[in-house]
């Protein structure tokens, strides 16, 4: 660890070099972010952006042979220490997701107004991908490579957003035996920001609750069990479990649909629920409770003798996990944040870091500098005014952990 107390003057000079280097390259970094953001990457269709990133990693000094494209579409690069003894040390895994929530037909024409860029996906996660490139450039420098104490994997993941269910990160950690070392810790680099440190991975379970009955004429079959009426009762009870202020558990009805005609008792209706918590056991208990509540609502609606059928469809699971604020990885992130003049903020979110956290591998998620807003909308914007500060935080943290 070269940048701790007792560091040599050569190490201090190296850090000073990278600090001033990336500050002077701020507009180049933004250009790389724009190149990536222009290529559509809906969840499940990340191939074009993955190919571009692979070629950009080669521009950063990686040999084509060191870049892997796995079966799900992740692009990963292992940077090996020059020191043989360090080559089998537990590795650091730096991830940034390739995918966006936007369909392929959404226009990705960045509008650049000074340091402000408007474009869907420019921050989430154009910024994180730009940070992977910055790390690739930094780690391939001979003076840095000579100091590496452990391997570093730079992983651009697919399937992070929405129904992607962290598919890329799961596949990468499932296949970790093929990567040549054991992952010792992980950092997900996601979106803009220079202060927050996510060490609580918000897990989620997503369900569709579907009720079906015989339906009928709204006058002639008046009183027939009504799936929409029953879902109304179900929703009221399901959402009563939610604790949005403490965030211990959040239950949200995100979509609903039902009914066939204006004048019929419906035959079918469904709701989708997004349930989130940082507590894996709480999530599991809530999932069971919601299934029971659906059955209760269905049988109450059919009290006249014809209960509604209940179908539950799982739409996704994201594992929850937490890392103690005193863990050395969180403390290193706190130090890197303070070193660039920002105030560290503990945060909770659902990111690729959930996957290693749920497997007992210490992990955090951080932003890659600048400010942003409107994420997951077509009005997303990114402000690069302070972008270099957060990018320096990322480089500092990684060098602190691996050099
Ligand atoms: Zn993101």
């Amino acid at each position: 660890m070269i940048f701790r107390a007792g560091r040599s003057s050569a190490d201090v000079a190296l850090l000073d070099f990278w600090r001033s280097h990336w500050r002077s390259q701020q507009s180049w970094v933004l250009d790389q972010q724009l190149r990536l953001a222009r290529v559509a990457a809906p969840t499940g269709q990340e191939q074009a952006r993955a190919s571009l990133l692979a070629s950009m990693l080669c521009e950063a000094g990686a040999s084509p042979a060191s870049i892997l494209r796995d079966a799900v579409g992740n692009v990963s690069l292992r940077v090996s220490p020059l020191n043989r003894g360090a080559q089998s040390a537990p590795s650091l895994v730096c991830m940034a997701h390739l995918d966006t929530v936007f369909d392929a037909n959404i226009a990705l024409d960045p509008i650049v107004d000074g340091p402000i860029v408007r474009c869907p996906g420019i921050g989430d996660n154009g910024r994180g991908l730009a940070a992977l490139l910055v790390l690739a450039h930094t780690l391939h420098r001979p003076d840095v490579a000579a100091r590496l104490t452990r391997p570093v994997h730079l992983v651009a993941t697919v399937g992070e957003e929405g129904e992607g269910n962290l598919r890329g990160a799961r596949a990468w950690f499932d296949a970790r035996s093929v990567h040549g070392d054991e992952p010792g810790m992980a950092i997900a680099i996601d979106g803009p920001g220079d202060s927050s440190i996510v060490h609580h991975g918000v897990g989620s379970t997503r369900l569709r609750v579907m009720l079906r009955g015989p339906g009928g004429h709204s006058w002639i079959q008046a009183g027939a069990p009504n799936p929409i009426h029953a879902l109304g009762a179900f929703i009221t009870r399901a959402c009563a479990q939610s604790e949005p202020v403490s965030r211990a558990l959040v239950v949200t009805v995100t979509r609903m649909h039902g009914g066939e005609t204006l004048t019929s008792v419906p035959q079918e209706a469904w709701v989708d629920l997004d349930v989130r918590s940082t507590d894996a056991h709480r999530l599991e208990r809530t999932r069971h409770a919601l299934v029971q509540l659906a059955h209760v609502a269905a049988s109450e609606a059919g009290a006249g003798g014809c209960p509604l059928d209940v179908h539950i469809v799982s739409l996704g699971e994201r594992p929850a996990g937490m890392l103690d604020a005193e863990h050395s990885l969180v403390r290193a992130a706190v130090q890197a944040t303070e070193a660039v003049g920002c105030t560290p903020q503990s945060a909770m979110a659902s990111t690729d870091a959930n996957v290693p956290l749920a497997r007992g591998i210490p992990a955090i998620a951080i932003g890659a500098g600048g400010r942003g807003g409107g994420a997951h909308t077509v009005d997303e914007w990114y402000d690069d005014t302070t972008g270099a500060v957060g990018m320096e935080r990322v480089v500092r943290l990684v060098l602190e952990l691996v050099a």
Side-chain angles (χ1 to χ4, degrees):
M1 307 263 175
I2 59 175
F3 302 129
R4 299 247 159 98
R7 57 206 179 193
S8 73
S9 57
D11 296 336
V12 173
L14 185 67
L15 182 60
D16 283 345
F17 170 82
W18 286 111
R19 179 190 303 167
S20 54
H21 177 75
W22 289 122
R23 286 198 175 173
S24 71
Q25 299 298 309
Q26 184 171 355
S27 64
W28 178 87
V29 174
L30 183 59
D31 285 345
Q32 309 313 300
Q33 191 176 333
L34 287 162
R35 277 174 79 185
L36 287 155
R38 280 191 182 98
V39 178
T43 303
Q45 299 170 58
E46 298 95 342
Q47 302 90 332
R49 187 177 286 186
S51 297
L52 172 62
L53 183 79
S55 68
M56 292 167 85
L57 288 170
C58 290
E59 292 167 16
S63 70
S66 65
I67 295 174
L68 288 177
R69 303 277 297 266
D70 67 17
V72 297
N74 294 319
V75 176
S76 69
L77 162 65
R78 182 179 193 263
V79 184
S80 296
L82 297 181
N83 176 346
R84 294 253 316 264
Q87 287 173 7
S88 56
S91 58
L92 171 67
V93 184
C94 298
M95 300 175 278
H97 67 87
L98 285 159
D99 58 322
T100 71
V101 299
F102 305 104
D103 288 344
N105 60 2
I106 297 284
L108 301 176
D109 299 318
I111 299 167
V112 182
D113 180 8
I116 297 172
V117 182
R118 296 180 190 283
C119 179
I122 184 67
D124 182 16
N125 191 24
R127 192 64 185 166
L129 293 169
L132 276 194
L133 286 173
V134 163
L135 289 173
H137 277 273
T138 306
L139 297 169
H140 283 98
R141 275 281 302 239
D143 50 354
V144 175
R147 285 176 161 85
L148 290 182
T149 57
R150 60 177 80 232
V152 184
H153 295 275
L154 302 179
V155 187
T157 59
V158 298
E160 192 272 349
E161 297 285 8
E163 293 172 22
N165 258 327
L166 311 181
R167 184 164 47 92
R170 284 178 209 260
W172 197 89
F173 281 93
D174 282 345
R176 65 198 211 200
S177 58
V178 308
H179 299 307
D181 50 67
E182 272 299 306
M185 52 194 154
I187 302 173
I189 309 170
D190 201 340
D194 46 30
S195 302
S196 64
I197 300 163
V198 175
H199 56 107
H200 295 256
V202 180
S204 58
T205 182
R206 286 140 188 186
L207 298 175
R208 175 163 296 178
V209 174
M210 187 179 283
L211 301 182
R212 291 192 189 121
H217 190 285
S218 61
W219 176 254
I220 298 168
Q221 272 84 36
N226 186 319
I228 294 181
H229 293 190
L231 279 180
F234 166 74
I235 290 169
T236 302
R237 292 168 189 159
C239 293
Q241 315 237 333
S242 196
E243 297 174 33
V245 176
S246 70
R247 306 269 168 126
L249 178 79
V250 179
V251 179
T252 308
V253 172
T254 54
R255 288 187 289 213
M256 63 188 302
H257 180 84
E260 295 84 33
T261 81
L262 178 62
T263 53
S264 308
V265 175
Q267 291 183 297
E268 183 179 290
W270 54 258
V271 287
D272 287 349
L273 296 115
D274 177 40
V275 184
R276 297 182 181 229
S277 176
T278 57
D279 180 339
H281 300 294
R282 183 95 193 254
L283 267 184
E284 188 57 27
R285 285 201 308 274
T286 304
R287 181 187 171 81
H288 286 296
L290 292 174
V291 170
Q292 273 192 325
L293 286 175
H295 283 278
V296 168
S299 61
E300 285 175 357
C306 179
L308 295 167
D309 287 335
V310 181
H311 286 264
I312 308 283
V313 182
S314 176
L315 301 176
E317 300 272 345
R318 286 174 172 233
M322 276 196 251
L323 188 62
D324 193 272
E326 292 305 311
H327 189 278
S328 59
L329 176 58
V330 181
R331 296 202 61 78
V334 166
Q335 283 170 11
T337 308
E338 288 172 345
V340 299
C342 297
T343 305
Q345 285 165 358
S346 169
M348 40 176 96
S350 176
T351 70
D352 275 340
N354 286 38
V355 172
L357 275 177
R359 294 167 194 226
I361 300 166
I364 58 170
I366 58 174
R371 299 273 173 274
H376 294 197
T377 76
V378 292
D379 299 321
E380 184 173 352
W381 57 271
Y382 169 75
D383 180 351
D384 198 43
T385 305
T386 59
V389 174
M391 195 59 84
E392 183 189 325
R393 176 174 78 139
V394 173
V395 173
R396 235 175 205 282
L397 173 61
V398 169
L399 290 182
E400 180 71 27
L401 295 168
V402 305

